[in-house]
Amino acid sequence: MGQNNDGVLNFASTLWAAADRLRNNMEPSEYKHIVLGLIFLKYISDAFKFRQEELEYLIKDPKNEEYYCGSEEEAQLILEDKDEYMAANVFYVPPEARYEYIMANARRSDIGKLIDDAMDLIEKENPKQLRGVLPKVYTKAPLDPHTLGEIVNLIGSINFGKNEELDVLGRVYEYFLSEFARKEGKRGGEFFTPSSVVKLLVEMIQPLHGRVFDPCCGSGGMFVQSIRFVEAHAGKKGDISIYGQESNPTTYRLCKMNLAIRGIEADIRLGNSFTDDQFKDLRADYILANPPFNDSAWGADRLANDVRWKYGLPPDSNANYAWIQHFIYHLAPKGVAGFVLANGSMTTSNNAEYEIRKRIIEDNLVDCMVALPPQLFYTTGIPACLWFIRKGRETKETLFIDARKMGVMVDRTHRELTDEEIQKIAETYHNWRNKSGYEDLKGFCASVPMEVIAQNDYVLAPGRYVGVEDTQEDDIPFEEKMAELTEKLYQQMKEARRLDEIIKANLEELGYGE
């Protein structure tokens, strides 16, 4: 098995194909809990096993005064001491919950109950992090024991070396999340934001130090990518503190497992961000979010006097401007927020939304707007855009980037931004912010003063400001080009007359002549 990123992805795609074949007629929305739960079980079992092997080595080392044991009884006490695992940020896994035990019993007719019991045991041993998080759906799953046993063995086949395996399991979990989101279509978007969109958001706001918050965090993809960004820039996981809120209990559990499997510590809470804000006092340095598009009936009637609506009460028919103000409310004085919204948010003429947008612009908060290409999302074909809100701005200009022509099709219906395109957009933004090497480019980017935005009725669509891309001139003289085009036109007209005669003759032969 390959050890590089491509190798891991190839391996994950092969594993996915095998797992999907075993799904039979089970709906992806149910099946994902079966498979993702087993990947998680494999992860924490392997992490436990690797830590246990370290302890076994220490116990046998006579030079190690802290761990060396003279008796087998003492050694066993250390090997099953929960504190030894918690101290290493590893979950304690009881013997009957370890994956090797589950695999050894994969042919039993009660394998579903064994797995449910294993999940229950793990939660009881690690209540602070995992209480109520793990799926206990295996006994009642519409899968026969033989098929469930095959899935257990398939996940058990993930067997990389000690140094790579845990990372591989994390990547497999993430890959499976994306594939389930793709399978579920619209519903999948409730828990998964496409990776190229997440990468772009993170590259734009660069969360290197401080508090990172996502109040509609789905399965936690924004946090995983933020940690990757920190580590890619020689930082450590502890450089950022992570806070998230999610209203869907099922998605909340997916998020907790997703972060645990990546070894990411985070404060994730369950609840509706509008009606049950779990982080009222939090002021974040970075906010990343992909809230539901154009959500309605979000609770405006109950929250009319809420302190968050500094710029006006958003209409109950659309939550877009409630989300925007929720983000602004939770930003620290120098904080930055990057988030996804439907394109309508940039141009809406609804009275309440127009007034809120106007006040936010006049308060000098809109740093950058990016128009995205279509078909990036699993949820919807509605065109989307990225907003970047920044507090404490010095400039009174806003950068507009039109990326609608970017992206490549990865299947019949979905598009992705390439890494090069993500870098181009992010570099344009950072060059503009740093006033270094930035220039307006027709059809792509423009830096626009606030008064010009006001003259354009506070519309924030990049297409309004970046203009039309210059067409590339060729070196062919006009006369020569015109003669070539004219000749081509006459040839086509001649061919059209020939075809007309053939059609006419055929009609006459059939008795339908003039």
Side-chain angles (χ1 to χ4, degrees):
M1 297 175 186
Q3 306 300 312
N4 56 27
N5 287 345
D6 290 341
V8 170
L9 287 177
N10 289 337
F11 167 69
S13 63
T14 303
L15 195 70
W16 164 260
D20 197 44
R21 278 197 297 275
L22 293 169
R23 180 165 60 89
N24 296 329
N25 295 319
M26 199 171 174
E27 289 296 322
S29 56
E30 291 182 85
Y31 190 58
K32 72 170 179 279
H33 300 298
I34 299 286
V35 175
L36 295 176
L38 287 173
I39 295 174
F40 183 80
L41 187 59
K42 176 81 165 70
Y43 170 85
I44 64 168
S45 293
D46 285 1
F48 177 87
K49 181 178 71 176
F50 296 148
R51 175 60 181 161
Q52 196 171 55
E53 288 171 357
E54 286 176 0
L55 290 172
E56 285 173 346
Y57 175 81
L58 296 173
I59 288 167
K60 293 174 183 173
D61 181 6
K63 296 177 184 174
N64 192 314
E65 295 180 0
E66 185 180 357
Y67 283 97
Y68 178 68
C69 293
S71 73
E72 182 61 26
E73 188 178 350
E74 284 180 53
Q76 281 304 315
L77 285 174
I78 292 177
L79 291 177
E80 294 298 332
D81 184 352
K82 295 174 192 173
D83 291 340
E84 293 292 347
Y85 297 89
M86 291 173 63
N89 200 25
V90 170
F91 293 109
Y92 178 78
V93 184
E96 297 82 7
R98 294 170 194 169
Y99 208 88
E100 57 192 15
Y101 175 81
I102 301 295
M103 272 189 82
N105 292 282
R107 291 179 182 274
R108 281 175 51 169
S109 60
D110 62 345
I111 180 63
K113 184 174 185 308
L114 283 180
I115 301 172
D116 281 338
D117 290 346
M119 297 292 185
D120 200 37
L121 284 170
I122 292 168
E123 284 192 358
K124 285 177 178 169
E125 292 291 350
N126 307 276
K128 184 180 175 185
Q129 306 97 322
L130 297 177
R131 178 182 291 163
V133 169
L134 303 184
K136 292 177 275 292
V137 296
Y138 297 88
T139 305
K140 295 181 179 176
L143 287 170
D144 62 83
H146 176 76
T147 303
L148 183 53
E150 284 192 73
I151 300 168
V152 167
N153 289 328
L154 181 69
I155 301 302
S157 69
I158 303 174
N159 189 23
F160 283 68
K162 177 180 175 181
N163 293 330
E164 298 85 14
E165 185 155 327
L166 297 180
D167 183 57
V168 169
L169 281 161
R171 287 175 178 272
V172 168
Y173 189 93
E174 188 178 359
Y175 183 86
F176 274 43
L177 266 179
S178 71
E179 290 303 306
F180 277 120
R182 198 186 298 270
K183 284 273 184 186
E184 289 189 47
K186 185 176 182 180
R187 291 183 60 192
E190 294 174 2
F191 62 85
F192 189 82
T193 304
S195 60
S196 68
V197 177
V198 177
K199 277 185 192 174
L200 177 55
L201 282 167
V202 170
E203 290 292 332
M204 294 284 277
I205 74 167
Q206 298 186 329
L208 283 170
H209 299 276
R211 292 154 295 187
V212 179
F213 181 41
D214 182 349
C216 41
C217 61
S219 57
M222 301 287 185
F223 302 137
V224 174
Q225 188 59 34
S226 295
I227 290 292
R228 280 200 190 116
F229 183 84
V230 169
E231 293 179 334
H233 291 77
K236 295 175 291 188
K237 285 179 182 173
D239 291 347
I240 58 174
S241 304
I242 290 173
Y243 304 87
Q245 184 165 347
E246 172 55 45
S247 61
N248 184 310
T250 303
T251 306
Y252 162 80
R253 291 193 286 272
L254 285 178
C255 179
K256 296 274 281 186
M257 287 197 293
N258 191 20
L259 299 183
I261 209 169
R262 307 312 300 250
I264 298 173
E265 290 189 33
D267 185 353
I268 308 297
R269 301 183 190 178
L270 179 63
N272 183 302
S273 285
F274 293 138
T275 57
D276 182 22
D277 186 356
Q278 291 282 313
F279 295 95
K280 285 181 180 171
D281 297 326
L282 175 66
R283 297 296 179 268
D285 302 290
Y286 308 96
I287 291 178
L288 291 155
N290 175 21
F293 286 6
N294 301 324
D295 213 9
S296 60
W298 55 273
D301 53 337
R302 286 174 286 167
L303 300 167
N305 298 315
D306 195 286
V307 67
R308 288 171 288 183
W309 319 139
K310 177 181 177 182
Y311 302 98
L313 177 65
D316 199 45
S317 59
N318 195 313
N320 287 345
Y321 278 84
W323 282 115
I324 294 172
Q325 293 191 83
H326 184 75
F327 301 145
I328 293 172
Y329 175 79
H330 280 289
L331 270 184
K334 295 283 185 181
V336 57
F339 50 90
V340 188
L341 284 178
N343 270 5
S345 62
M346 302 187 290
T347 57
T348 175
S349 56
N350 171 286
N351 285 342
E353 292 176 322
Y354 172 85
E355 283 301 322
I356 296 169
R357 187 173 72 239
K358 175 173 177 284
R359 291 168 189 163
I360 290 173
I361 293 169
E362 290 176 343
D363 210 11
N364 197 28
L365 289 170
V366 183
D367 207 34
C368 177
M369 299 294 300
V370 180
L372 294 173
Q375 297 175 283
L376 287 178
F377 293 86
Y378 304 136
T379 43
T380 174
I382 295 174
C385 61
L386 302 182
W387 286 64
F388 294 91
I389 295 281
R390 188 179 291 273
K391 284 190 175 176
R393 289 182 355 119
E394 294 177 0
T395 177
K396 290 209 169 184
E397 295 196 358
T398 295
L399 177 66
F400 290 89
I401 297 177
D402 190 345
R404 288 177 295 176
K405 293 180 181 176
M406 289 184 166
V408 295
M409 298 300 290
V410 291
D411 60 33
R412 191 171 54 82
T413 55
H414 295 113
R415 183 186 301 269
E416 282 183 2
L417 293 168
T418 66
D419 286 346
E420 291 74 20
E421 290 168 335
I422 290 170
Q423 285 306 313
K424 179 179 178 181
I425 297 169
E427 282 179 11
T428 300
Y429 176 57
H430 295 301
N431 288 343
W432 173 78
R433 288 203 69 237
N434 297 328
K435 300 177 181 174
S436 172
Y438 172 82
E439 287 183 6
D440 287 355
L441 181 61
K442 275 190 178 179
F444 179 63
C445 61
S447 181
V448 180
M450 188 189 297
E451 56 266 27
V452 175
I453 299 173
Q455 290 164 10
N456 280 272
D457 216 14
Y458 298 95
V459 164
L460 289 175
R464 178 71 66 97
Y465 305 101
V466 301
V468 179
E469 185 179 4
D470 288 334
T471 53
Q472 195 166 8
E473 296 290 341
D474 55 40
D475 297 329
I476 303 172
F478 174 79
E479 290 76 10
E480 186 180 331
K481 195 166 186 175
M482 193 64 194
E484 181 186 331
L485 291 172
T486 304
E487 182 184 351
K488 191 173 182 179
L489 178 62
Y490 279 123
Q491 285 176 351
Q492 290 174 340
M493 291 166 69
K494 183 179 177 183
E495 178 64 9
R497 287 196 295 274
R498 186 183 74 81
L499 292 173
D500 284 345
E501 289 302 318
I502 292 173
I503 294 169
K504 187 178 175 185
N506 288 339
L507 287 172
E508 286 174 350
E509 198 173 307
L510 292 169
Y512 293 99
E514 290 178 327

